[in-house]
Amino acid sequence: MTKAIHLNKPEPFALERPYANFNEGSDVLLTIQLLEAGKPILIDGLYSNGLKLLKALKTHLQKRFTRKSFQDECEYRAAYHKLSNLVLIEIAGNKLALKKAPFIGWLEELYPEKSDFLLTFPQVQGLNSSWEWYKNGISIPVLRNKLHPYYGTYFPTRFDHLVQFDQWLKRYTGPKKTAIDIGVGSGILALQMVQYGFQKVFGTDSNPNAIVGLKAFMGDTKLSRKIELDLGHLFGKWEKQSELIVFNPPWLPSTNEVRNLDTGIYYNEKLFPEFFAEAKKRLLPDGKLLLLFSNLAQITELTKEHPIEKELAEGGRFQLARCFKKSVKPASKKTKRNQNWRTDEVVELWELTHL
């Protein structure tokens, strides 16, 4: 089944046209000017040459962007994304064709039909980080075992909302026959529910990498019989009613088309109305609907509208049973981004029931 699924992965391009090279002896400023003129640059020699160029590019852009506001941070990241993705790296025989380059297993796993091609340097960095996370595993405070997230699958780097859900599960005394996890991702919420005794969890995701990765992670263990997966939008093929529906939706509204991993971060205007309409059909009469959310969009002034509050006020489908709010921990001291808005951020757990 998984072989028929088309995975999300960086799109390779062919080694056809000549490119300007960047190596140990290249002029950094001149190379950045070429990038700003829209000219692709091919890294040559050492892998570290690519790191050197990207570091210089960041320094160059930081002179133009203060990064003191959320909006300015977004503009800086957009500019860096545009220019850095003109920096190319050659793959030969499913390995990076540079000296002292890291081994990335995804180059064979994701491209079995192609061995020689080009990718952008940021794409390679993403593949490299993902391979390390997958190979070594990630410790999640609410899970007993390490998580090994598949490439292109969303996983959290902050855990306040997961701890909040864990505390809710500890207090939950209702039936535990079935639950539905919408947007299962790397499977953390589903695994939490299994840990707390749910007999069957139905998980869906519109990202094929999430389904393939979680199936591979579970293998033929008992988990594979407790967690059943479907590739699809929102509820996918699941039509039966359940006593618990859990949704950790994206926390930020998007004005652009949302693709791939961005669907774990940004939501479009149709998502919440469609979700609540479908959840109404699939929640048992005495069931509970849980949403893990945040006020991030409001405190960063992306929108004044809170989609869950709007549903409760206008939807005519659900009522509020309880809402738990918790201030988030400060951003890591290692981050270079200005995240002062985080001091006002709270994670929210909304427990709804039928009207």
Side-chain angles (χ1 to χ4, degrees):
M1 177 182 175
T2 55
K3 291 183 180 179
I5 295 179
H6 180 71
L7 293 170
N8 292 321
K9 59 187 178 183
E11 196 64 37
F13 34 115
L15 298 154
E16 294 178 352
R17 54 183 288 192
Y19 298 97
N21 287 1
F22 180 84
N23 53 39
E24 295 91 321
S26 299
D27 186 302
V28 175
L29 183 58
L30 177 60
T31 303
I32 291 176
Q33 291 174 347
L34 290 173
L35 292 173
E36 290 181 321
K39 305 294 184 181
I41 300 294
L42 182 65
I43 299 300
D44 189 24
L46 296 168
Y47 179 79
S48 58
N49 290 333
L51 300 175
K52 174 185 175 182
L53 178 56
L54 293 189
K55 182 179 180 181
L57 179 60
K58 287 180 179 180
T59 301
H60 176 76
L61 290 174
Q62 284 166 356
K63 296 176 182 178
R64 287 168 43 194
F65 299 93
T66 63
R67 304 178 68 187
K68 290 183 178 180
S69 69
F70 184 81
Q71 184 63 36
D72 202 54
E73 174 68 23
C74 290
E75 291 176 0
Y76 162 81
R77 293 174 69 182
Y80 176 76
H81 178 270
K82 178 182 178 181
L83 297 181
S84 64
N85 276 282
L86 290 172
V87 180
L88 308 177
I89 188 168
E90 181 182 351
I91 287 83
N94 294 111
K95 292 180 175 60
L96 301 181
L98 293 172
K99 298 175 184 177
K100 297 185 179 181
F103 171 79
I104 305 175
W106 293 131
L107 294 174
E108 291 184 2
E109 173 84 12
L110 300 177
Y111 304 97
E113 76 295 338
K114 188 183 292 287
S115 60
D116 303 325
F117 51 94
L118 294 175
L119 290 175
T120 73
F121 206 92
Q123 287 172 338
V124 168
Q125 287 181 302
L127 287 163
N128 184 40
S129 296
S130 172
W131 181 250
E132 291 300 311
W133 292 324
Y134 178 75
K135 180 179 66 175
N136 299 323
I138 299 170
S139 295
I140 305 293
V142 295
L143 297 182
R144 296 173 187 144
N145 301 313
K146 281 188 173 182
L147 194 71
H148 295 265
Y150 198 80
Y151 174 76
T153 300
Y154 171 79
F155 66 90
T157 55
R158 298 160 59 222
F159 311 115
D160 302 88
H161 60 301
L162 301 179
V163 173
Q164 198 173 40
F165 181 50
D166 205 70
Q167 292 170 345
W168 186 89
L169 285 170
K170 286 179 182 177
R171 295 189 295 264
Y172 176 73
T173 57
K176 297 182 178 181
K177 186 177 179 181
T178 66
I180 302 176
D181 181 3
I182 305 299
V184 68
S186 52
I188 296 175
L189 301 184
L191 292 168
Q192 284 181 267
M193 287 186 275
V194 169
Q195 284 183 175
Y196 280 95
F198 277 82
Q199 298 173 34
K200 191 80 171 181
V201 178
F202 298 101
T204 67
D205 208 296
S206 58
N207 178 6
N209 297 47
I211 302 301
V212 169
L214 193 48
K215 279 179 176 287
F217 174 73
M218 295 189 298
D220 294 327
T221 64
K222 289 182 180 179
L223 279 175
S224 65
R225 295 185 287 276
K226 290 182 175 290
I227 300 176
E228 192 172 341
L229 302 171
D230 181 50
L231 175 63
H233 179 59
L234 290 178
F235 288 85
K237 69 180 182 181
W238 311 126
E239 298 289 343
K240 291 184 178 180
Q241 291 184 320
S242 176
E243 54 258 41
L244 178 63
I245 296 173
V246 180
F247 188 26
N248 179 21
W251 291 353
L252 298 174
S254 173
T255 55
N256 303 311
E257 184 180 357
V258 178
R259 295 179 180 177
N260 298 345
L261 267 188
D262 285 348
T263 58
I265 304 171
Y266 300 99
Y267 63 86
N268 60 44
E269 60 184 10
K270 297 178 182 179
L271 179 68
F272 282 95
E274 185 179 356
F275 166 75
F276 284 117
E278 294 301 313
K280 183 69 176 177
K281 303 173 188 175
R282 291 169 176 83
L283 188 66
L284 283 167
D286 294 325
K288 297 184 183 298
L289 175 61
L290 245 62
L291 295 102
L292 309 182
F293 207 60
S294 163
N295 68 339
L296 184 59
Q298 286 74 43
I299 62 174
T300 54
E301 299 181 349
L302 291 179
T303 182
K304 294 181 179 180
E305 183 177 277
H306 192 297
I308 302 173
E309 292 177 350
K310 182 179 181 181
E311 167 64 22
L312 291 171
E314 304 173 7
R317 290 175 281 237
F318 298 101
Q319 61 186 349
L320 178 64
R322 293 181 295 180
C323 180
F324 302 94
K325 298 185 179 183
K326 179 182 178 182
S327 297
V328 304
K329 293 180 180 179
S332 170
K333 294 180 180 180
K334 295 180 181 179
T335 184
K336 296 181 181 179
R337 300 174 192 165
N338 190 312
Q339 297 187 340
N340 290 330
W341 59 84
R342 284 265 161 84
T343 58
D344 298 321
E345 185 185 358
V346 296
V347 289
E348 308 164 345
L349 188 150
W350 296 77
E351 178 185 324
L352 312 184
T353 57
H354 284 293
L355 272 173

